[in-house]
Amino acid sequence: RFVFAEDGSSVLLFTRPRRFGKTLLMDMFADFFRLNYLNPSDTSFQEKIFNDMEITKDKAFVEKYMGQFPIISISLKEIKGISYEIAKWQLVTLVKELARTYSFLQKSEILTEDDKLDLKNLCSDAFLKEPINQNNLTSALSFLSSCLYKHFKKQVILLIDEYDVPLENIIAVPNFLPKHWFGDRYEPAKKIDQFKKYKAKPRIGIVSSLSHYNVDKIRVDQNGKAVKEEKQADGTIKWINQDKVECRF
């Protein structure tokens, strides 16, 4: 209740060690807030699941929030290939399966034919794997959010679980990413800019255990690129980007 009704942040990051119930929390958020896409006024699912729970005693909150929002919920848990190419195909599969859950939007009387074509393309392995269509893959969440907002005229809630798994690979596997990808694909505060062209940005909840790596050894330079702490031969510590250029803070 505090997170969604009182905190006005557009992006919320939930960090706890493993086995603290982060995924369960995200699943609960999704079930509580998710709109019934086929019958938007129907909240019987939530009434059954959350019956007699403390949250239902707040009638004003329940009426305003329960079953009222389109939800996009994804987990990056399986995006852990040992190379960039493997991880990319895993991402393609994730985006394809996610897009197919919104296939009902193909019958929308509000979306344009171009919107419907782009949505259809997101459901295609062959389309997403073509390098020329890279932007469709990386902008999939903002595009799906846009379609849901246009169709339902309601703010979208985006939930991202295991956000740090791809980041772990970037850090742990040498030269994991092509140089043009380094750094800026995993910065939620920066990527939120993709949503600015829409009338209503989604509320974004991100879960990360932050237990895979030492976050004190990761920083972002003035250009928004990730840099890492490296110990030099003389024992000194420097912050180095992928171009092997020292960054000072």
Side-chain angles (χ1 to χ4, degrees), residues 185-203:
R185 285 297 188 272
Y186 299 97
E187 294 165 24
K190 182 175 180 180
K191 299 307 286 183
I192 193 66
D193 288 343
Q194 289 184 350
F195 298 95
K196 286 184 177 179
K197 60 183 177 180
Y198 307 123
K199 293 181 180 179
K201 295 187 296 185
R203 295 290 297 279

PDB file of all heavy atoms in Angstrom, residues 185-203:
ATOM      1  N   ARG A 185      22.456  -0.653 -21.190  1.00  0.00           N
ATOM      2  CA  ARG A 185      21.254  -1.468 -21.308  1.00  0.00           C
ATOM      3  C   ARG A 185      20.652  -1.807 -19.955  1.00  0.00           C
ATOM      4  O   ARG A 185      19.553  -2.316 -19.868  1.00  0.00           O
ATOM      5  CB  ARG A 185      21.557  -2.774 -22.066  1.00  0.00           C
ATOM      6  CG  ARG A 185      21.737  -2.580 -23.570  1.00  0.00           C
ATOM      7  CD  ARG A 185      20.462  -2.069 -24.217  1.00  0.00           C
ATOM      8  NE  ARG A 185      20.553  -2.067 -25.667  1.00  0.00           N
ATOM      9  CZ  ARG A 185      21.020  -1.071 -26.392  1.00  0.00           C
ATOM     10  NH1 ARG A 185      21.449   0.007 -25.788  1.00  0.00           N
ATOM     11  NH2 ARG A 185      21.043  -1.135 -27.692  1.00  0.00           N
ATOM     12  N   TYR A 186      21.379  -1.563 -18.885  1.00  0.00           N
ATOM     13  CA  TYR A 186      20.904  -1.994 -17.575  1.00  0.00           C
ATOM     14  C   TYR A 186      20.809  -0.832 -16.595  1.00  0.00           C
ATOM     15  O   TYR A 186      21.132  -0.967 -15.436  1.00  0.00           O
ATOM     16  CB  TYR A 186      21.811  -3.104 -17.033  1.00  0.00           C
ATOM     17  CG  TYR A 186      21.803  -4.296 -17.946  1.00  0.00           C
ATOM     18  CD1 TYR A 186      22.810  -4.478 -18.888  1.00  0.00           C
ATOM     19  CD2 TYR A 186      20.753  -5.191 -17.916  1.00  0.00           C
ATOM     20  CE1 TYR A 186      22.768  -5.550 -19.758  1.00  0.00           C
ATOM     21  CE2 TYR A 186      20.702  -6.267 -18.786  1.00  0.00           C
ATOM     22  CZ  TYR A 186      21.715  -6.446 -19.708  1.00  0.00           C
ATOM     23  OH  TYR A 186      21.669  -7.493 -20.576  1.00  0.00           O
ATOM     24  N   GLU A 187      20.378   0.322 -17.075  1.00  0.00           N
ATOM     25  CA  GLU A 187      20.216   1.480 -16.213  1.00  0.00           C
ATOM     26  C   GLU A 187      18.762   1.925 -16.260  1.00  0.00           C
ATOM     27  O   GLU A 187      18.352   2.648 -17.158  1.00  0.00           O
ATOM     28  CB  GLU A 187      21.133   2.621 -16.678  1.00  0.00           C
ATOM     29  CG  GLU A 187      22.608   2.266 -16.516  1.00  0.00           C
ATOM     30  CD  GLU A 187      23.494   3.213 -17.294  1.00  0.00           C
ATOM     31  OE1 GLU A 187      23.054   4.338 -17.563  1.00  0.00           O
ATOM     32  OE2 GLU A 187      24.605   2.810 -17.641  1.00  0.00           O
ATOM     33  N   PRO A 188      17.929   1.480 -15.308  1.00  0.00           N
ATOM     34  CA  PRO A 188      16.503   1.784 -15.366  1.00  0.00           C
ATOM     35  C   PRO A 188      16.200   3.268 -15.362  1.00  0.00           C
ATOM     36  O   PRO A 188      15.288   3.724 -16.045  1.00  0.00           O
ATOM     37  CB  PRO A 188      15.946   1.103 -14.103  1.00  0.00           C
ATOM     38  CG  PRO A 188      17.126   0.913 -13.202  1.00  0.00           C
ATOM     39  CD  PRO A 188      18.291   0.707 -14.115  1.00  0.00           C
ATOM     40  N   ALA A 189      16.975   4.051 -14.610  1.00  0.00           N
ATOM     41  CA  ALA A 189      16.706   5.484 -14.542  1.00  0.00           C
ATOM     42  C   ALA A 189      16.939   6.135 -15.897  1.00  0.00           C
ATOM     43  O   ALA A 189      16.282   7.115 -16.255  1.00  0.00           O
ATOM     44  CB  ALA A 189      17.591   6.133 -13.492  1.00  0.00           C
ATOM     45  N   LYS A 190      17.889   5.583 -16.670  1.00  0.00           N
ATOM     46  CA  LYS A 190      18.158   6.138 -17.984  1.00  0.00           C
ATOM     47  C   LYS A 190      17.164   5.613 -19.016  1.00  0.00           C
ATOM     48  O   LYS A 190      16.644   6.368 -19.838  1.00  0.00           O
ATOM     49  CB  LYS A 190      19.585   5.779 -18.417  1.00  0.00           C
ATOM     50  CG  LYS A 190      19.969   6.372 -19.772  1.00  0.00           C
ATOM     51  CD  LYS A 190      21.419   6.083 -20.075  1.00  0.00           C
ATOM     52  CE  LYS A 190      21.840   6.670 -21.418  1.00  0.00           C
ATOM     53  NZ  LYS A 190      23.241   6.406 -21.740  1.00  0.00           N
ATOM     54  N   LYS A 191      16.854   4.328 -18.977  1.00  0.00           N
ATOM     55  CA  LYS A 191      15.977   3.738 -19.967  1.00  0.00           C
ATOM     56  C   LYS A 191      14.543   4.205 -19.812  1.00  0.00           C
ATOM     57  O   LYS A 191      13.741   4.061 -20.722  1.00  0.00           O
ATOM     58  CB  LYS A 191      16.036   2.211 -19.902  1.00  0.00           C
ATOM     59  CG  LYS A 191      17.410   1.616 -20.170  1.00  0.00           C
ATOM     60  CD  LYS A 191      18.016   2.101 -21.459  1.00  0.00           C
ATOM     61  CE  LYS A 191      17.359   1.465 -22.669  1.00  0.00           C
ATOM     62  NZ  LYS A 191      18.010   1.890 -23.927  1.00  0.00           N
ATOM     63  N   ILE A 192      14.189   4.776 -18.661  1.00  0.00           N
ATOM     64  CA  ILE A 192      12.835   5.291 -18.482  1.00  0.00           C
ATOM     65  C   ILE A 192      12.546   6.395 -19.490  1.00  0.00           C
ATOM     66  O   ILE A 192      11.394   6.688 -19.809  1.00  0.00           O
ATOM     67  CB  ILE A 192      12.633   5.801 -17.041  1.00  0.00           C
ATOM     68  CG1 ILE A 192      11.136   6.059 -16.735  1.00  0.00           C
ATOM     69  CG2 ILE A 192      13.398   7.076 -16.806  1.00  0.00           C
ATOM     70  CD1 ILE A 192      10.306   4.842 -16.730  1.00  0.00           C
ATOM     71  N   ASP A 193      13.609   6.999 -20.053  1.00  0.00           N
ATOM     72  CA  ASP A 193      13.424   8.044 -21.060  1.00  0.00           C
ATOM     73  C   ASP A 193      12.651   7.531 -22.267  1.00  0.00           C
ATOM     74  O   ASP A 193      12.009   8.298 -22.988  1.00  0.00           O
ATOM     75  CB  ASP A 193      14.783   8.589 -21.530  1.00  0.00           C
ATOM     76  CG  ASP A 193      15.445   9.434 -20.455  1.00  0.00           C
ATOM     77  OD1 ASP A 193      14.736   9.851 -19.529  1.00  0.00           O
ATOM     78  OD2 ASP A 193      16.658   9.668 -20.551  1.00  0.00           O
ATOM     79  N   GLN A 194      12.710   6.207 -22.524  1.00  0.00           N
ATOM     80  CA  GLN A 194      11.987   5.639 -23.651  1.00  0.00           C
ATOM     81  C   GLN A 194      10.484   5.887 -23.536  1.00  0.00           C
ATOM     82  O   GLN A 194       9.772   5.918 -24.529  1.00  0.00           O
ATOM     83  CB  GLN A 194      12.221   4.122 -23.724  1.00  0.00           C
ATOM     84  CG  GLN A 194      13.616   3.729 -24.157  1.00  0.00           C
ATOM     85  CD  GLN A 194      13.734   2.229 -24.298  1.00  0.00           C
ATOM     86  OE1 GLN A 194      12.843   1.483 -23.911  1.00  0.00           O
ATOM     87  NE2 GLN A 194      14.828   1.777 -24.865  1.00  0.00           N
ATOM     88  N   PHE A 195       9.998   6.049 -22.316  1.00  0.00           N
ATOM     89  CA  PHE A 195       8.561   6.161 -22.095  1.00  0.00           C
ATOM     90  C   PHE A 195       8.065   7.603 -22.158  1.00  0.00           C
ATOM     91  O   PHE A 195       6.870   7.843 -22.089  1.00  0.00           O
ATOM     92  CB  PHE A 195       8.197   5.581 -20.725  1.00  0.00           C
ATOM     93  CG  PHE A 195       8.522   4.123 -20.585  1.00  0.00           C
ATOM     94  CD1 PHE A 195       9.715   3.708 -20.011  1.00  0.00           C
ATOM     95  CD2 PHE A 195       7.638   3.152 -21.024  1.00  0.00           C
ATOM     96  CE1 PHE A 195      10.019   2.372 -19.873  1.00  0.00           C
ATOM     97  CE2 PHE A 195       7.939   1.809 -20.898  1.00  0.00           C
ATOM     98  CZ  PHE A 195       9.124   1.410 -20.327  1.00  0.00           C
ATOM     99  N   LYS A 196       8.965   8.581 -22.278  1.00  0.00           N
ATOM    100  CA  LYS A 196       8.559   9.981 -22.169  1.00  0.00           C
ATOM    101  C   LYS A 196       7.609  10.425 -23.279  1.00  0.00           C
ATOM    102  O   LYS A 196       6.859  11.372 -23.109  1.00  0.00           O
ATOM    103  CB  LYS A 196       9.796  10.880 -22.136  1.00  0.00           C
ATOM    104  CG  LYS A 196      10.538  10.835 -20.811  1.00  0.00           C
ATOM    105  CD  LYS A 196      11.693  11.815 -20.788  1.00  0.00           C
ATOM    106  CE  LYS A 196      12.373  11.814 -19.421  1.00  0.00           C
ATOM    107  NZ  LYS A 196      13.519  12.728 -19.377  1.00  0.00           N
ATOM    108  N   LYS A 197       7.642   9.749 -24.423  1.00  0.00           N
ATOM    109  CA  LYS A 197       6.772  10.172 -25.517  1.00  0.00           C
ATOM    110  C   LYS A 197       5.325   9.752 -25.288  1.00  0.00           C
ATOM    111  O   LYS A 197       4.436  10.166 -26.024  1.00  0.00           O
ATOM    112  CB  LYS A 197       7.274   9.602 -26.840  1.00  0.00           C
ATOM    113  CG  LYS A 197       7.327   8.086 -26.916  1.00  0.00           C
ATOM    114  CD  LYS A 197       7.909   7.644 -28.260  1.00  0.00           C
ATOM    115  CE  LYS A 197       8.049   6.133 -28.341  1.00  0.00           C
ATOM    116  NZ  LYS A 197       8.617   5.695 -29.623  1.00  0.00           N
ATOM    117  N   TYR A 198       5.082   8.934 -24.268  1.00  0.00           N
ATOM    118  CA  TYR A 198       3.725   8.520 -23.974  1.00  0.00           C
ATOM    119  C   TYR A 198       3.130   9.416 -22.898  1.00  0.00           C
ATOM    120  O   TYR A 198       3.834   9.979 -22.073  1.00  0.00           O
ATOM    121  CB  TYR A 198       3.701   7.055 -23.530  1.00  0.00           C
ATOM    122  CG  TYR A 198       4.392   6.152 -24.514  1.00  0.00           C
ATOM    123  CD1 TYR A 198       5.448   5.333 -24.122  1.00  0.00           C
ATOM    124  CD2 TYR A 198       4.013   6.129 -25.849  1.00  0.00           C
ATOM    125  CE1 TYR A 198       6.098   4.517 -25.034  1.00  0.00           C
ATOM    126  CE2 TYR A 198       4.662   5.325 -26.768  1.00  0.00           C
ATOM    127  CZ  TYR A 198       5.694   4.524 -26.359  1.00  0.00           C
ATOM    128  OH  TYR A 198       6.333   3.725 -27.259  1.00  0.00           O
ATOM    129  N   LYS A 199       1.822   9.513 -22.882  1.00  0.00           N
ATOM    130  CA  LYS A 199       1.157  10.413 -21.951  1.00  0.00           C
ATOM    131  C   LYS A 199       1.325   9.973 -20.505  1.00  0.00           C
ATOM    132  O   LYS A 199       1.314  10.793 -19.601  1.00  0.00           O
ATOM    133  CB  LYS A 199      -0.326  10.510 -22.307  1.00  0.00           C
ATOM    134  CG  LYS A 199      -0.587  11.196 -23.646  1.00  0.00           C
ATOM    135  CD  LYS A 199      -2.072  11.285 -23.915  1.00  0.00           C
ATOM    136  CE  LYS A 199      -2.334  11.976 -25.244  1.00  0.00           C
ATOM    137  NZ  LYS A 199      -3.784  12.048 -25.552  1.00  0.00           N
ATOM    138  N   ALA A 200       1.443   8.668 -20.280  1.00  0.00           N
ATOM    139  CA  ALA A 200       1.577   8.182 -18.904  1.00  0.00           C
ATOM    140  C   ALA A 200       2.690   7.146 -18.849  1.00  0.00           C
ATOM    141  O   ALA A 200       2.600   6.106 -19.473  1.00  0.00           O
ATOM    142  CB  ALA A 200       0.268   7.556 -18.412  1.00  0.00           C
ATOM    143  N   LYS A 201       3.748   7.458 -18.129  1.00  0.00           N
ATOM    144  CA  LYS A 201       4.827   6.492 -17.958  1.00  0.00           C
ATOM    145  C   LYS A 201       4.363   5.377 -17.026  1.00  0.00           C
ATOM    146  O   LYS A 201       3.580   5.603 -16.115  1.00  0.00           O
ATOM    147  CB  LYS A 201       6.059   7.168 -17.354  1.00  0.00           C
ATOM    148  CG  LYS A 201       6.683   8.215 -18.254  1.00  0.00           C
ATOM    149  CD  LYS A 201       7.982   8.709 -17.667  1.00  0.00           C
ATOM    150  CE  LYS A 201       7.781   9.420 -16.344  1.00  0.00           C
ATOM    151  NZ  LYS A 201       9.037  10.006 -15.836  1.00  0.00           N
ATOM    152  N   PRO A 202       4.862   4.160 -17.216  1.00  0.00           N
ATOM    153  CA  PRO A 202       4.487   3.079 -16.302  1.00  0.00           C
ATOM    154  C   PRO A 202       5.186   3.242 -14.957  1.00  0.00           C
ATOM    155  O   PRO A 202       6.237   3.860 -14.863  1.00  0.00           O
ATOM    156  CB  PRO A 202       4.992   1.824 -17.022  1.00  0.00           C
ATOM    157  CG  PRO A 202       6.146   2.311 -17.839  1.00  0.00           C
ATOM    158  CD  PRO A 202       5.768   3.707 -18.274  1.00  0.00           C
ATOM    159  N   ARG A 203       4.570   2.709 -13.921  1.00  0.00           N
ATOM    160  CA  ARG A 203       5.286   2.543 -12.654  1.00  0.00           C
ATOM    161  C   ARG A 203       6.133   1.289 -12.804  1.00  0.00           C
ATOM    162  O   ARG A 203       5.650   0.248 -13.251  1.00  0.00           O
ATOM    163  CB  ARG A 203       4.301   2.360 -11.497  1.00  0.00           C
ATOM    164  CG  ARG A 203       3.424   3.554 -11.213  1.00  0.00           C
ATOM    165  CD  ARG A 203       4.191   4.713 -10.622  1.00  0.00           C
ATOM    166  NE  ARG A 203       4.792   4.438  -9.342  1.00  0.00           N
ATOM    167  CZ  ARG A 203       4.145   4.475  -8.181  1.00  0.00           C
ATOM    168  NH1 ARG A 203       2.853   4.763  -8.158  1.00  0.00           N
ATOM    169  NH2 ARG A 203       4.761   4.231  -7.044  1.00  0.00           N
TER     170      ARG A 203
END
